């Protein structure tokens, strides 16, 4: 055998060995492709580390993959994602939906249908929204703007959205809350877990009659009746307004019941039809401490004695200040040592003034009409002031007078048929009070 023949045999042999080697090397790859690979095998083949995971958005809560139906194994499975989002400052519903994975076209379509029932721009900060996405399509959205109804939007077969306002089933029941004051009304109510909105309403009802700084004594009592609303899980989801309220101050009993007149006006009246409201409120701020009384005093900044022609209520910056009565804004703006200042003309006799505000309620202007109890500004320390507080003045016939001692004209008194109806409502109310009190005892 010649040398060239030997070389040829060697080359052929090497080619055969190389062919067999590559066949054996690629055999597992083809086998894996023919059978469904596991996640781990997929990671190895595509060079992904077992520890690496795709990034998930913050709002993502749950993900559910719907398997293909029997006999349709070749069809891809549906991926359904359920998200829960809390509305943040500056959020829009469009941004929330597109961030969740919906297209701009779908989001715009849903918002267009939603506007027929609810204005999306009214979504408050903190509102919880539930969103469902299926295969990159928005299929459901729901949220509860109020304790008693829910808004639900669902994608229909025709690719349009059906938006519904659904009532939430609630059970309503009476609740009596009573307490004995140990230190202050505020502290006692908080310790006994009276809902904060009920405490604020209670203070507003009695703020026409009671000086909460001087007239509240240890051992005084208070009671109130209001509705509570329970959902199907028996959880209290809302407190109604006060139906009846009573205070026993050093043996003197004051009590008022809510009553709506035939004109639709709701107020609180005693058993004789006398309205709780007076011309002016003595304390146009909730839960504040009387820090400086009316009269001559040593000025904390100027350092000499000076007449203090109002009263000061110490409160944290930003606490709302209320209009002491119905009236027209006569002055609003900066006023020297008073800082940011508002003066309201109530009638031909009375005016009230509010000083050292941090800011005014948005939209208020000179000659604007305000209602008693409405917010007009917020506690601050502008002008000549040593700290956040409200300086409050009552001006009678053009002269400042003591807000805590001025005799204020009484409010309305019901007459005729309205008085008869009110007294009938008191009879029904007494039955409710006795029935609810009996339940509590038993």
């Amino acid at each position: 055998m010649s040398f060239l023949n030997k070389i040829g045999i060697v080359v052929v042999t090497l080619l055969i060995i190389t062919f067999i080697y590559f066949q054996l090397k690629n055999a597992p790859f083809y086998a894996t492709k023919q059978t469904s690979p596991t996640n781990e095998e997929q990671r190895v083949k595509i060079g992904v580390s077992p520890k690496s995971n795709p990034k998930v958005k913050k709002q993502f809560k749950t993900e559910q993959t719907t398997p293909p139906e029997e006999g349709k194994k070749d069809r891809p499975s549906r991926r359904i994602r359920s998200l829960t989002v809390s509305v943040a400052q500056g959020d829009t519903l469009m941004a929330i939906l597109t961030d969740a994975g919906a297209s701009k076209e779908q989001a715009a379509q849903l918002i267009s249908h939603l506007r027929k029932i609810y204005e999306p721009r009214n979504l408050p900060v903190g509102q919880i929204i539930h969103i469902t996405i299926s295969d990159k399509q928005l299929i459901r959205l729901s949220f509860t703007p109020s304790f008693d109804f829910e808004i639900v939007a669902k994608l229909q077969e025709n690719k349009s959205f059906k938006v519904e306002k659904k009532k939430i089933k609630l059970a309503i029941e009476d609740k009596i809350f009573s307490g004995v004051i140990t230190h202050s009304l505020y502290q006692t109510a908080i310790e006994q877990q009276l809902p904060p909105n009920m405490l604020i309403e209670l203070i507003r009802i009695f703020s026409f009659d009671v000086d909460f700084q001087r007239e509240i004594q240890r051992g005084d009592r208070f009671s109130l009746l209001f509705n509570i609303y329970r959902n199907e899980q028996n959880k209290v989801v809302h407190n109604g307004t006060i139906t009846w309220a009573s205070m026993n101050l050093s043996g003197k009993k004051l009590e008022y019941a809510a009553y709506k007149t035939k004109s639709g006006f709701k107020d609180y009246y005693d058993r004789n039809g006398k309205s709780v409201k007076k011309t002016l409120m003595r304390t146009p701020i909730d839960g504040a401490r009387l820090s400086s009384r009316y009269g001559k005093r040593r000025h904390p900044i100027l350092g000499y004695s000076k007449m203090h022609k109002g009263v000061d209520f110490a409160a944290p910056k930003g606490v709302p200040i209320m209009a002491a009565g119905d009236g027209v804004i006569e002055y609003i703006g900066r006023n020297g040592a008073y800082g940011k200042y508002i003066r309201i003309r109530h009638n031909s006799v009375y005016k009230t003034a509010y000083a050292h505000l941090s800011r005014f309620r948005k939209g208020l202007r000179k000659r604007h009409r305000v209602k008693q109890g409405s917010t007009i500004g917020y506690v601050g320390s502008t002008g000549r002031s040593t700290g956040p507080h409200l300086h409050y003045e009552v001006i009678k016939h053009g002269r400042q007078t003591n807000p805590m001692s001025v005799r204020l004209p009484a409010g309305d008194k019901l007459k005729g048929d309205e008085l008869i109806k009110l007294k009938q409502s008191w009879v029904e109310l007494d039955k409710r009070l006795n029935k609810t009190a009996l339940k509590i005892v038993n």
Side-chain angles (χ1 to χ4, degrees):
M1 184 181 290
S2 68
F3 178 75
L4 289 175
N5 287 338
K6 289 181 180 179
I7 296 257
I9 291 170
V10 170
V11 169
V12 170
T13 303
L14 287 173
L15 287 172
I16 292 170
I17 292 170
T18 303
F19 176 79
I20 293 171
Y21 170 77
F22 279 108
Q23 286 291 320
L24 291 173
K25 182 181 179 183
N26 291 333
F29 173 78
Y30 294 116
T32 305
K33 291 289 281 186
Q34 290 166 356
T35 60
S36 298
T38 65
N39 291 337
E40 198 65 25
E41 287 170 336
Q42 281 183 321
R43 288 193 186 101
V44 172
K45 289 294 175 188
I46 63 174
V48 178
S49 168
K51 291 184 179 180
S52 66
N53 289 314
K55 290 184 180 179
V56 180
K57 291 184 178 181
K58 285 182 181 179
Q59 296 100 330
F60 178 79
K61 292 296 180 185
T62 59
E63 181 174 312
Q64 175 186 348
T65 302
T66 306
E69 296 176 17
E70 192 67 33
K72 299 180 182 177
K73 300 275 185 181
D74 55 331
R75 292 189 181 181
S77 58
R78 293 175 61 212
R79 294 186 67 207
I80 298 177
R81 292 188 302 141
S82 299
L83 300 91
T84 300
V85 180
S86 177
V87 177
Q89 187 74 38
D91 275 352
T92 64
L93 186 56
M94 173 64 81
I96 290 170
L97 293 176
T98 52
D99 286 349
S103 67
K104 287 186 178 180
E105 292 76 14
Q106 245 204 331
Q109 186 189 23
L110 183 145
I111 291 169
S112 176
H113 284 83
L114 177 62
R115 279 204 173 101
K116 298 172 184 176
I117 293 177
Y118 182 85
E119 176 51 64
R121 286 178 294 186
N122 294 337
L123 285 169
V125 172
Q127 174 72 62
I128 299 299
I129 301 176
H130 303 284
I131 301 169
T132 305
I133 303 284
S134 175
D135 293 333
K136 298 184 179 180
Q137 269 207 324
L138 174 64
I139 61 173
R140 192 179 191 276
L141 175 141
S142 66
F143 60 97
T144 53
S146 176
F147 71 94
D148 58 349
F149 72 89
E150 177 186 29
I151 289 178
V152 179
K154 290 182 181 178
L155 184 66
Q156 305 299 294
E157 289 184 2
N158 63 1
K159 303 301 179 183
S160 179
F161 283 97
K162 181 180 180 182
V163 182
E164 294 179 293
K165 183 178 178 179
K166 295 185 175 181
K167 275 195 169 184
I168 297 172
K169 290 183 179 178
L170 298 168
I172 306 173
E173 59 186 73
D174 283 339
K175 180 175 179 63
I176 286 183
F177 190 101
S178 297
V180 179
I181 296 170
T182 52
H183 294 88
S184 69
L185 173 63
Y186 177 84
Q187 185 176 339
T188 302
I190 294 301
E191 286 175 355
Q192 296 190 17
Q193 298 182 337
L194 176 67
N197 62 320
M198 294 291 100
L199 173 59
I200 291 170
E201 194 175 356
L202 180 69
I203 291 171
R204 285 183 178 175
I205 290 170
F206 288 101
S207 63
F208 298 96
D209 292 307
V210 179
D211 176 356
F212 287 98
Q213 304 299 323
R214 295 189 296 178
E215 294 183 41
I216 300 292
Q217 305 293 328
R218 187 174 295 184
D220 289 343
R221 305 182 66 90
F222 67 96
S223 300
L224 57 153
L225 171 72
F226 57 95
N227 291 134
I228 57 174
Y229 295 76
R230 295 185 185 273
N231 61 17
E232 291 180 315
Q233 289 74 43
N234 204 36
K235 181 182 177 183
V236 176
V237 293
H238 182 70
N239 300 306
T241 57
I242 292 175
T243 304
W244 165 87
S246 169
M247 293 197 78
N248 197 313
L249 307 176
S250 302
K252 179 185 176 184
K253 186 175 182 179
L254 300 169
E255 64 173 341
Y256 294 98
Y259 176 75
K260 185 183 284 188
T261 63
K262 60 183 178 182
S263 62
F265 178 74
K266 180 185 172 183
D267 201 355
Y268 290 88
Y269 296 87
D270 66 12
R271 292 179 182 270
N272 297 314
K274 191 176 176 182
S275 169
V276 67
K277 285 188 176 178
K278 309 294 185 292
T279 303
L280 301 175
M281 299 166 67
R282 293 192 188 279
T283 53
I285 185 170
D286 288 331
R289 175 177 59 86
L290 184 65
S291 57
S292 184
R293 301 184 184 279
Y294 181 92
K296 206 162 188 180
R297 63 163 188 176
R298 185 177 178 83
H299 198 279
I301 294 177
L302 300 177
Y304 56 82
S305 293
K306 190 175 186 294
M307 186 66 181
H308 188 230
K309 297 181 179 180
V311 292
D312 292 347
F313 294 100
K317 182 180 178 181
V319 169
I321 297 165
M322 298 176 286
D326 295 349
V328 176
I329 294 178
E330 189 177 71
Y331 185 102
I332 181 168
R334 281 198 169 267
N335 187 13
Y338 283 118
K340 291 185 178 179
Y341 172 91
I342 295 178
R343 187 168 65 244
I344 301 172
R345 186 181 73 254
H346 301 285
N347 51 38
S348 60
V349 177
Y350 290 101
K351 297 177 185 180
T352 53
Y354 315 77
H356 306 305
L357 280 63
S358 60
R359 60 189 174 96
F360 308 117
R361 195 192 81 197
K362 192 175 180 181
L364 284 188
R365 298 287 185 275
K366 188 177 179 180
R367 289 188 289 276
H368 273 205
R369 185 167 291 278
V370 293
K371 296 290 291 180
Q372 188 175 60
S374 64
T375 298
I376 56 172
Y378 302 88
V379 169
S381 187
T382 56
R384 192 182 293 156
S385 168
T386 56
H389 71 284
L390 167 67
H391 173 80
Y392 174 54
E393 295 180 357
V394 173
I395 303 163
K396 184 178 180 182
H397 293 301
R399 297 183 63 181
Q400 289 103 331
T401 187
N402 188 347
M404 298 294 110
S405 62
V406 64
R407 185 168 181 153
L408 300 174
D412 295 333
K413 185 172 182 179
L414 299 180
K415 298 176 183 177
D417 290 342
E418 286 281 24
L419 182 57
I420 293 171
K421 288 179 182 178
L422 172 74
K423 291 195 173 186
Q424 289 171 347
S425 73
W426 268 103
V427 172
E428 295 302 317
L429 177 59
D430 286 334
K431 290 178 182 177
R432 286 172 64 185
L433 290 170
N434 292 333
K435 185 178 179 181
T436 308
L438 185 63
K439 282 183 182 178
I440 293 172
V441 171
N442 290 338

